[in-house]
Amino acid sequence: MVGVSALLLTGCSGTAEPSGDKAPAASGDAKTVKAGDRDLTLKIGTILPQSGALAFLGPPEEAGVQLAVNDINAANLGMKVEAVFRDSGDTTTDTATVSVTDLLSQDVSAIVGAASSGVSKTVIDQIVAAGVVQFSPANTSPDFTEYADKGLYWRTAPSDLLQGEVLGNQIAEDGNSTLGMIVLNDAYGTGLAKSLKDTFESAGGEVVAEELFNEGDSNFAAQISAVTAANPDAIALITFDQAKIIIPALVGTGYPGDKLYLVDGNLADYSKDFPAGLIAGSKGTLPGLDVGTLGDFTDRLLEVDPTLKDFSYAAESYDSVMLIALAAYAGNDVSGASIADYLRQVSGGEGDGEKVSDFKAAAKALADGKQVNYDGFSGPVTFDKNGDPTEATIGVYEYKADNTYKRIN
């Protein structure tokens, strides 16, 4: 099946030489782990969605960040981490810019976020200019792979080149010959749509309709009419929470609710939004492991935020903070430049290191002068020269009669 765990991204995330002032490829020689007593205070800011079209992703991402901070501080091994939470909003507002300005004024070393690729594009230059690390747990646009970021932009989420491939193959394998798409017109939506279309058509299918809409739109009648008029076997919705409006309207035209395909931007619990059975049998993709099966981790997330119903990108957010902290610990320095210099190394991207999966074990190994290779709750994390993960898991999910979803592959 196509949703195979730990798919290698070599060739998927770009193999061309970095452009602009992107950090050069590493030499392969591991940097010396800095010796000496560590008494480090690390301040991390977040720009995660507390409002806007991706607000459903904010709670699990912020819970992942806070849980990592709690675990690092509980280890009591010479590092104290403080997280400052701010809203990213979406691209219809300047919330992210205001939040980044505030965080930079507080001298944060790194900023976790944004969730939206489009939002990250509005603030990446501001963050890079300040010499601060930007680390997204959820950005999937291929545009960031070779962005001129001075080596300061990193992510634990894979490029949409992979998610589009998995989804396109899944739609074809399900026996669909024609496909319609309703797509958010931003870096995330159009990038994922292109990958999906290329894969589906390479598998012998045909995209018969592709309708765009803009962030902030609230009426999708024209897009729905155009796509259903083409009578496709399946329809892919590459949206954020606009799916709450589009799906009932689409099914209301008579289009079957089990022929819809969703993506990470809208794969959510719709049990309180839709009538029972509305989308039973529809499918979607989501990068990362099924956090719901990671019992202890899920339980601890719920201790941080008992209201959590969705765990999307919680593991990636947790691992983002862990990697930032380990890079600071390895370099014995909380500056953005030093953190960026060690991030690839602590992920195992510059050669073998001792396999570690928690801060306590990793910090002890680093204090002993050893190299480490961190793999976390989101799975193996090994960065390439562009700050992209070289391995990733893309899960395929199916909706049940109560409009919640379960992993099927």
Side-chain angles (χ1 to χ4, degrees), residues 127-181:
I127 297 171
V128 167
V132 169
V133 167
Q134 180 177 3
F135 202 130
S136 176
N139 284 171
T140 53
S141 170
D143 294 350
F144 292 110
T145 294
E146 294 184 16
Y147 197 88
D149 58 27
K150 299 181 181 178
L152 291 168
Y153 176 89
W154 302 75
R155 54 181 166 181
T156 40
S159 164
D160 273 326
L161 293 175
L162 180 59
Q163 184 178 187
E165 179 182 341
V166 171
L167 184 58
N169 282 324
Q170 182 67 52
I171 295 171
E173 285 188 7
D174 286 345
N176 300 292
S177 299
T178 57
L179 176 66
M181 298 194 294

Side-chain angles (χ1 to χ4, degrees), residues 30-375:
K31 287 173 280 294
T32 301
V33 175
K34 298 291 181 68
D37 294 334
R38 288 167 173 79
D39 184 13
L40 301 170
T41 299
L42 174 65
K43 183 181 286 190
I44 296 174
T46 73
I47 48 167
L48 296 168
Q50 299 170 357
S51 65
L54 275 181
F56 76 96
L57 288 182
E61 290 173 339
E62 290 190 338
V65 168
Q66 187 61 59
L67 181 58
V69 170
N70 294 349
D71 287 351
I72 294 165
N73 290 338
N76 195 27
L77 291 173
M79 173 170 281
K80 175 72 174 178
V81 183
E82 174 189 354
V84 182
F85 295 93
R86 294 293 182 266
D87 188 15
S88 66
D90 58 31
T91 56
T92 65
T93 70
D94 64 351
T95 302
T97 300
V98 173
S99 294
V100 167
T101 300
D102 176 38
L103 291 171
L104 294 178
S105 74
Q106 298 189 51
D107 295 325
V108 297
S109 299
I111 294 177
V112 175
S116 160
S117 294
V119 170
S120 282
K121 279 197 168 185
T122 68
V123 294
I124 185 172
D125 292 338
Q126 182 184 8
I127 297 171
V128 167
V132 169
V133 167
Q134 180 177 3
F135 202 130
S136 176
N139 284 171
T140 53
S141 170
D143 294 350
F144 292 110
T145 294
E146 294 184 16
Y147 197 88
D149 58 27
K150 299 181 181 178
L152 291 168
Y153 176 89
W154 302 75
R155 54 181 166 181
T156 40
S159 164
D160 273 326
L161 293 175
L162 180 59
Q163 184 178 187
E165 179 182 341
V166 171
L167 184 58
N169 282 324
Q170 182 67 52
I171 295 171
E173 285 188 7
D174 286 345
N176 300 292
S177 299
T178 57
L179 176 66
M181 298 194 294
I182 297 178
V183 179
L184 174 61
N185 186 21
D186 75 349
Y188 163 75
T190 57
L192 179 49
K194 182 180 185 305
S195 177
L196 169 57
K197 181 178 181 179
D198 289 347
T199 301
F200 184 69
E201 293 189 338
S202 294
E206 179 186 3
V207 174
V208 294
E210 182 176 352
E211 292 294 315
L212 301 177
F213 68 90
N214 295 314
E215 188 73 80
D217 289 353
S218 58
N219 187 319
F220 308 96
Q223 290 88 348
I224 291 170
S225 177
V227 170
T228 55
N231 195 30
D233 295 335
I235 295 177
L237 302 178
I238 303 178
T239 76
F240 294 148
D241 71 350
Q242 299 88 356
K244 290 181 179 179
I245 300 172
I246 296 172
I247 289 174
L250 192 54
V251 176
T253 69
Y255 195 84
D258 62 351
K259 301 299 289 184
L260 304 178
Y261 289 84
L262 280 63
V263 292
D264 61 316
N266 54 28
L267 191 79
D269 179 347
Y270 292 113
S271 58
K272 294 182 179 179
D273 301 297
F274 301 157
L278 186 74
I279 54 173
S282 64
K283 296 177 182 176
T285 48
L286 179 68
L289 300 175
D290 184 0
V291 177
T293 65
L294 303 178
D296 179 60
F297 181 63
T298 307
D299 292 343
R300 293 197 298 129
L301 286 170
L302 287 168
E303 291 175 4
V304 172
D305 183 354
T307 69
L308 286 180
K309 300 295 183 184
D310 192 295
F311 299 96
S312 299
Y313 293 113
E316 286 81 0
S317 300
Y318 180 96
D319 289 344
S320 296
V321 174
M322 280 291 169
L323 286 158
I324 291 167
L326 289 175
Y329 202 84
N332 203 17
D333 186 344
V334 296
S335 69
S338 180
I339 290 171
D341 200 33
Y342 279 88
L343 266 170
R344 189 164 182 250
Q345 179 163 312
V346 295
S347 78
E350 292 184 0
D352 293 334
E354 183 175 322
K355 286 279 189 180
V356 292
S357 58
D358 64 88
F359 183 81
K360 190 171 185 179
K364 286 184 175 180
L366 289 169
D368 290 338
K370 299 176 182 178
Q371 305 295 335
V372 299
N373 180 356
Y374 175 81
D375 288 338

